[in-house]
Amino acid sequence: MPHASLTVDPAFVVGAIDRRLFGSFVEHLGRAVYDGIYEPAHATADEDGFRKDVIELVRELGVSTVRYPGGNFVSGYRWEDGIGPRERRPRRLDLAWHSLETNEIGLDEFARWSAKAGTELMLAVNLGTRGVQEALDLLEYANVRSGSTLSDLRVANGTPEPHGVVLWCLGNEMDGPWQLGHRSADDYGKLAAQTARAMRQLDPRVRLIACGSSNRQMPTFGAWERTVLEHTYDEIDYLSCHAYYHETPGDLGGFLASPVDMDRFIESVAATIDHVRALRPGRRRVDISFDEWNVWYVDRYHEEDKVTDPQVWPVAPRILEDSYTVADAVVVGGLLMSLLRHADRVTAASLAQLVNVIAPIMTEPGGPSWRQTTFFPFATTSRLARGVTLAVEVETTTYSTEAYGDVPVVDAVATHDASAGETAVFLVNRSVDSAATVSVDVRGVGASSVAEAVTLWDDDVHARNTLDHPDRVGLRPTPSAVLDGGTLRVELPPVSWTAVSLR
Ligand code: AHR
């Protein structure tokens, strides 16, 4: 049976955990907005047409920020289509997802939803088909109290208080040839820097995110980051990372090691940020916003869901509705551990996405909503990972993967909240056939009891929650989690994710 040991000591702090690490993402894509968060005819709909059952689940998930409105969608979006009287809003072709956008929901409505869900709004500006002026117009509409044409327009549209949006993405995945208005790193870097300078002139409180690479496999990865940072370093606060993973038949072990790829991705981007920083005077820091991450069976979209007929532009089609397995949830838990492990560099992140579209929450029109398997590690980590991340060195056996070489069988991350006297240990057993035992030396944190120990696992690693069986998979008590003197001993089933909270 594999064994792992580690020491949790509050002296070894990696960094403070920013709540923005627990963000998510709602794009105008498929049924994320329409028939997702918004369904005016639904039995639970509130006065604005938002499903209250979904809002409750978003609150339970513990989401901090929500990125909006895209994604690829934003690169062709005219934000002003989504404001003012609904009956006058245009119906537009969304080229990114080959859909018809009715614009029933726009900035003011979404900001209302975000407040109801208790989340912070993070907006993206269109730097695909648009530029500096339109970004400024949107910022004026969103953040200026009143007295100018666009701020007065917001007031006239029924939102007297400014939205006060702090986080702004300067475009989306501009390195990707699929992106409307895709540019070279040089061209994007110049445009992002100009837009950032202009936005700060209008509202110095904004925190700006420049596009990094769409994934680590992009042929321009590394060079893109360096060039974009050379243009923007003094103007931005974050550089973005995006990554999606999926299981390939016959390679469950490789899939479970996906967080190793995320670790390497973050460390490479952090090194590039440090390189560009070293070349200039001043101490300005640029953090990482990992504002798209998840498991996504992207081939299924291209091979099965994608509509391409130029005469057919569906409204809110059922696309990217991946149904997640136990193994997917173990990977999602592991990816969150990777983000926590880099809390000193990653200070914002967005699980992509939130409702129906590669999402932890699913809905049926006129019917119920339910939690996917991936809901559970996210909700638990968001609730328990407080304070700071502590550095841990895990001694364990390794196994071999084709994609990432030898990787540890057991992964672990620890967090510590000194003021609350709480410590949390998150563990993953990547073995596909053996349980693992773990001993954690916790003498340093002085814990006296196990407050909670939950595990996500199942004899069928491909079990899922569906409309017909919405509660098939859930968290279970950890088979064994015992605090014995200063040592926490935990038993982890094969292919499992565990959270242990100590007081
Ligand atoms: O989240 C789905 C899509 O993935 C987003 O629109 C895009 O930014 C990324 O490629």
Side-chain angles (χ1 to χ4, degrees):
M1 183 183 289
H3 180 73
S5 57
L6 57 137
T7 300
V8 173
D9 190 321
F12 300 117
V13 173
V14 173
I17 299 163
D18 196 313
R19 286 303 298 163
R20 286 177 172 151
L21 224 49
F22 301 102
S24 186
F25 176 26
V26 172
E27 179 166 2
H28 280 250
L29 191 186
R31 299 192 306 123
V33 174
Y34 309 112
D35 282 353
I37 64 167
Y38 177 72
E39 192 186 337
H42 194 269
T44 71
D46 66 11
E47 64 287 357
D48 292 316
F50 296 127
R51 283 182 67 150
K52 284 195 267 193
D53 59 337
V54 173
I55 289 175
E56 269 165 39
L57 284 176
V58 172
R59 284 182 169 275
E60 182 185 327
L61 189 60
V63 172
S64 54
T65 56
V66 179
R67 185 169 176 250
Y68 175 86
N72 295 339
F73 171 80
V74 82
S75 296
Y77 183 49
R78 292 173 253 200
W79 67 269
E80 58 276 32
D81 286 352
I83 59 167
R86 278 205 168 114
E87 62 283 3
R88 282 199 237 134
R89 296 188 190 178
R91 292 162 73 83
R92 300 274 192 203
L93 302 183
D94 161 24
L95 305 189
W97 302 105
H98 200 91
S99 306
L100 192 79
E101 173 55 53
T102 63
N103 284 304
E104 248 178 288
I105 297 289
L107 170 59
D108 294 327
E109 292 84 16
F110 190 77
R112 246 191 320 275
W113 179 85
S114 174
K116 287 178 179 183
T119 63
E120 178 189 9
L121 182 54
M122 173 191 205
L123 285 180
V125 300
N126 174 356
L127 291 189
T129 58
R130 303 189 123 187
V132 181
Q133 185 59 60
E134 293 89 344
L136 285 174
D137 290 347
L138 174 56
L139 181 58
E140 179 185 330
Y141 184 89
N143 278 13
V144 173
R145 183 166 297 284
S146 61
S148 67
T149 299
L150 289 171
S151 59
D152 286 345
L153 182 59
R154 187 200 66 246
V155 175
N157 285 340
T159 308
E161 288 302 311
H163 294 303
V165 179
V166 173
L167 295 172
W168 293 81
C169 301
L170 301 168
N172 177 68
E173 294 191 348
M174 299 305 301
D175 63 323
W178 59 85
Q179 202 70 217
L180 272 178
H182 156 66
R183 286 158 218 266
S184 67
D186 225 26
D187 289 348
Y188 169 70
K190 284 181 200 157
L191 177 60
Q194 286 165 357
T195 309
R197 268 192 294 272
M199 289 178 76
R200 271 195 211 293
Q201 259 176 275
L202 199 162
D203 185 348
R205 295 165 304 178
V206 294
R207 290 179 62 77
L208 303 170
I209 302 143
C211 297
S213 293
S214 304
N215 58 66
R216 200 161 81 95
Q217 286 68 43
M218 294 298 289
T220 49
F221 173 61
W224 172 275
E225 277 74 5
R226 191 193 59 229
T227 306
V228 168
L229 284 167
E230 280 165 358
H231 287 292
T232 60
Y233 196 92
D234 298 321
E235 318 295 341
I236 61 165
D237 301 285
Y238 305 87
L239 185 68
S240 74
C241 290
H242 290 181
Y244 293 99
Y245 301 93
H246 62 266
E247 185 182 352
T248 308
D251 189 20
L252 177 57
F255 175 52
L256 293 169
S258 303
V260 171
D261 181 75
M262 189 184 244
D263 288 342
R264 292 176 188 168
F265 192 173
I266 293 169
E267 283 151 26
S268 310
V269 173
T272 309
I273 292 172
D274 289 345
H275 166 72
V276 177
R277 183 188 190 197
L279 299 174
R280 55 210 327 112
R283 302 185 54 79
R284 181 184 188 83
R285 64 178 275 174
V286 167
D287 287 350
I288 293 174
S289 170
F290 216 119
D291 47 42
E292 286 190 35
W293 68 269
N294 203 351
V295 171
W296 176 13
Y297 289 84
V298 60
D299 294 346
R300 208 176 57 76
Y301 167 65
H302 290 288
E303 287 158 16
E304 296 171 30
D305 286 353
K306 199 172 178 173
V307 181
T308 48
D309 185 336
Q311 298 306 333
V312 178
W313 295 83
V315 175
R318 284 184 186 260
I319 55 175
L320 278 73
E321 299 203 3
D322 287 1
S323 170
Y324 290 120
T325 67
V326 169
D328 295 332
V330 171
V331 169
V332 163
L335 293 171
L336 263 173
M337 287 161 60
S338 170
L339 295 173
L340 285 170
R341 191 165 21 246
H342 297 95
D344 54 335
R345 307 306 299 250
V346 186
T347 55
S350 303
L351 172 70
Q353 299 195 7
L354 186 59
V355 181
N356 288 333
V357 168
I358 45 175
I361 298 168
M362 296 300 291
T363 70
E364 193 55 25
S369 52
W370 67 96
R371 302 165 188 81
Q372 294 235 51
T373 57
T374 53
F375 185 99
F376 301 103
F378 190 101
T380 310
T381 307
S382 174
R383 184 166 54 81
L384 296 180
R386 303 277 165 157
V388 296
T389 300
L390 300 178
V392 295
E393 207 59 59
V394 186
E395 276 179 47
T396 181
T397 45
T398 60
Y399 69 103
S400 151
T401 67
E402 203 179 308
Y404 315 118
D406 289 347
V407 303
V409 172
V410 172
D411 190 17
V413 161
T415 64
H416 182 61
D417 182 348
S419 56
E422 285 171 5
T423 303
V425 184
F426 302 94
L427 299 157
V428 162
N429 178 9
R430 296 177 179 141
S431 169
V432 298
D433 46 24
S434 304
T437 54
V438 185
S439 4
V440 189
D441 181 339
V442 292
R443 283 172 298 176
V445 294
S448 59
S449 65
V450 174
E452 180 177 344
V454 288
T455 297
L456 191 98
W457 96 97
D458 199 281
D459 289 340
D460 175 6
V461 296
H462 294 114
R464 329 156 181 249
N465 292 338
T466 59
L467 174 60
D468 295 334
H469 300 284
D471 300 317
R472 163 71 181 79
V473 177
L475 289 173
R476 299 155 75 168
T478 303
S480 172
V482 178
L483 192 56
D484 176 8
T487 305
L488 170 70
R489 295 183 207 286
V490 192
E491 196 185 311
L492 309 176
V495 190
S496 64
W497 172 90
T498 293
V500 181
S501 160
L502 302 170
R503 282 216 185 101

PDB file of all heavy atoms in Angstrom, residues 435-448:
ATOM      1  N   ALA A 435      -5.400   1.746  -1.996  1.00  0.00           N
ATOM      2  CA  ALA A 435      -5.575   2.774  -0.974  1.00  0.00           C
ATOM      3  C   ALA A 435      -4.185   3.251  -0.558  1.00  0.00           C
ATOM      4  O   ALA A 435      -3.181   2.563  -0.812  1.00  0.00           O
ATOM      5  CB  ALA A 435      -6.323   2.186   0.214  1.00  0.00           C
ATOM      6  N   ALA A 436      -4.091   4.405   0.061  1.00  0.00           N
ATOM      7  CA  ALA A 436      -2.805   4.916   0.546  1.00  0.00           C
ATOM      8  C   ALA A 436      -2.979   5.366   1.992  1.00  0.00           C
ATOM      9  O   ALA A 436      -4.080   5.762   2.396  1.00  0.00           O
ATOM     10  CB  ALA A 436      -2.342   6.085  -0.304  1.00  0.00           C
ATOM     11  N   THR A 437      -1.884   5.281   2.761  1.00  0.00           N
ATOM     12  CA  THR A 437      -1.925   5.824   4.120  1.00  0.00           C
ATOM     13  C   THR A 437      -1.021   7.058   4.166  1.00  0.00           C
ATOM     14  O   THR A 437       0.002   7.116   3.483  1.00  0.00           O
ATOM     15  CB  THR A 437      -1.442   4.785   5.148  1.00  0.00           C
ATOM     16  OG1 THR A 437      -0.150   4.312   4.741  1.00  0.00           O
ATOM     17  CG2 THR A 437      -2.402   3.620   5.238  1.00  0.00           C
ATOM     18  N   VAL A 438      -1.433   8.004   4.975  1.00  0.00           N
ATOM     19  CA  VAL A 438      -0.669   9.252   5.079  1.00  0.00           C
ATOM     20  C   VAL A 438      -0.471   9.573   6.549  1.00  0.00           C
ATOM     21  O   VAL A 438      -1.415   9.476   7.341  1.00  0.00           O
ATOM     22  CB  VAL A 438      -1.431  10.430   4.414  1.00  0.00           C
ATOM     23  CG1 VAL A 438      -0.576  11.697   4.413  1.00  0.00           C
ATOM     24  CG2 VAL A 438      -1.854  10.089   2.993  1.00  0.00           C
ATOM     25  N   SER A 439       0.769   9.935   6.939  1.00  0.00           N
ATOM     26  CA  SER A 439       0.972  10.459   8.294  1.00  0.00           C
ATOM     27  C   SER A 439       1.432  11.903   8.187  1.00  0.00           C
ATOM     28  O   SER A 439       2.363  12.217   7.421  1.00  0.00           O
ATOM     29  CB  SER A 439       1.982   9.680   9.120  1.00  0.00           C
ATOM     30  OG  SER A 439       2.580   8.671   8.387  1.00  0.00           O
ATOM     31  N   VAL A 440       0.745  12.752   8.926  1.00  0.00           N
ATOM     32  CA  VAL A 440       1.038  14.186   8.896  1.00  0.00           C
ATOM     33  C   VAL A 440       1.477  14.615  10.289  1.00  0.00           C
ATOM     34  O   VAL A 440       0.713  14.491  11.252  1.00  0.00           O
ATOM     35  CB  VAL A 440      -0.217  14.996   8.475  1.00  0.00           C
ATOM     36  CG1 VAL A 440       0.163  16.451   8.230  1.00  0.00           C
ATOM     37  CG2 VAL A 440      -0.897  14.393   7.253  1.00  0.00           C
ATOM     38  N   ASP A 441       2.699  15.104  10.389  1.00  0.00           N
ATOM     39  CA  ASP A 441       3.202  15.626  11.662  1.00  0.00           C
ATOM     40  C   ASP A 441       2.612  17.032  11.848  1.00  0.00           C
ATOM     41  O   ASP A 441       2.970  17.961  11.120  1.00  0.00           O
ATOM     42  CB  ASP A 441       4.740  15.672  11.596  1.00  0.00           C
ATOM     43  CG  ASP A 441       5.352  16.184  12.887  1.00  0.00           C
ATOM     44  OD1 ASP A 441       4.639  16.860  13.651  1.00  0.00           O
ATOM     45  OD2 ASP A 441       6.545  15.920  13.108  1.00  0.00           O
ATOM     46  N   VAL A 442       1.680  17.148  12.782  1.00  0.00           N
ATOM     47  CA  VAL A 442       0.997  18.436  12.971  1.00  0.00           C
ATOM     48  C   VAL A 442       1.338  19.049  14.342  1.00  0.00           C
ATOM     49  O   VAL A 442       0.605  19.917  14.825  1.00  0.00           O
ATOM     50  CB  VAL A 442      -0.549  18.290  12.799  1.00  0.00           C
ATOM     51  CG1 VAL A 442      -0.909  17.977  11.373  1.00  0.00           C
ATOM     52  CG2 VAL A 442      -1.132  17.247  13.743  1.00  0.00           C
ATOM     53  N   ARG A 443       2.446  18.608  14.935  1.00  0.00           N
ATOM     54  CA  ARG A 443       2.787  19.130  16.262  1.00  0.00           C
ATOM     55  C   ARG A 443       2.904  20.657  16.249  1.00  0.00           C
ATOM     56  O   ARG A 443       2.504  21.337  17.176  1.00  0.00           O
ATOM     57  CB  ARG A 443       4.108  18.522  16.752  1.00  0.00           C
ATOM     58  CG  ARG A 443       3.944  17.092  17.267  1.00  0.00           C
ATOM     59  CD  ARG A 443       5.268  16.468  17.559  1.00  0.00           C
ATOM     60  NE  ARG A 443       6.094  16.363  16.354  1.00  0.00           N
ATOM     61  CZ  ARG A 443       7.342  15.919  16.323  1.00  0.00           C
ATOM     62  NH1 ARG A 443       7.910  15.523  17.425  1.00  0.00           N
ATOM     63  NH2 ARG A 443       8.016  15.865  15.179  1.00  0.00           N
ATOM     64  N   GLY A 444       3.426  21.189  15.123  1.00  0.00           N
ATOM     65  CA  GLY A 444       3.661  22.642  15.018  1.00  0.00           C
ATOM     66  C   GLY A 444       2.396  23.468  15.128  1.00  0.00           C
ATOM     67  O   GLY A 444       2.437  24.615  15.588  1.00  0.00           O
ATOM     68  N   VAL A 445       1.263  22.941  14.681  1.00  0.00           N
ATOM     69  CA  VAL A 445       0.045  23.754  14.702  1.00  0.00           C
ATOM     70  C   VAL A 445      -0.753  23.542  15.987  1.00  0.00           C
ATOM     71  O   VAL A 445      -1.740  24.238  16.226  1.00  0.00           O
ATOM     72  CB  VAL A 445      -0.864  23.484  13.470  1.00  0.00           C
ATOM     73  CG1 VAL A 445      -0.192  23.936  12.194  1.00  0.00           C
ATOM     74  CG2 VAL A 445      -1.310  22.046  13.373  1.00  0.00           C
ATOM     75  N   GLY A 446      -0.323  22.602  16.797  1.00  0.00           N
ATOM     76  CA  GLY A 446      -0.951  22.399  18.100  1.00  0.00           C
ATOM     77  C   GLY A 446      -2.417  22.021  18.031  1.00  0.00           C
ATOM     78  O   GLY A 446      -3.195  22.431  18.902  1.00  0.00           O
ATOM     79  N   ALA A 447      -2.820  21.260  17.011  1.00  0.00           N
ATOM     80  CA  ALA A 447      -4.236  20.884  16.894  1.00  0.00           C
ATOM     81  C   ALA A 447      -4.586  19.813  17.915  1.00  0.00           C
ATOM     82  O   ALA A 447      -3.759  18.964  18.253  1.00  0.00           O
ATOM     83  CB  ALA A 447      -4.510  20.374  15.495  1.00  0.00           C
ATOM     84  N   SER A 448      -5.815  19.843  18.397  1.00  0.00           N
ATOM     85  CA  SER A 448      -6.210  18.828  19.371  1.00  0.00           C
ATOM     86  C   SER A 448      -7.303  17.903  18.867  1.00  0.00           C
ATOM     87  O   SER A 448      -7.601  16.887  19.490  1.00  0.00           O
ATOM     88  CB  SER A 448      -6.655  19.492  20.672  1.00  0.00           C
ATOM     89  OG  SER A 448      -7.738  20.346  20.392  1.00  0.00           O
TER      90      SER A 448
END
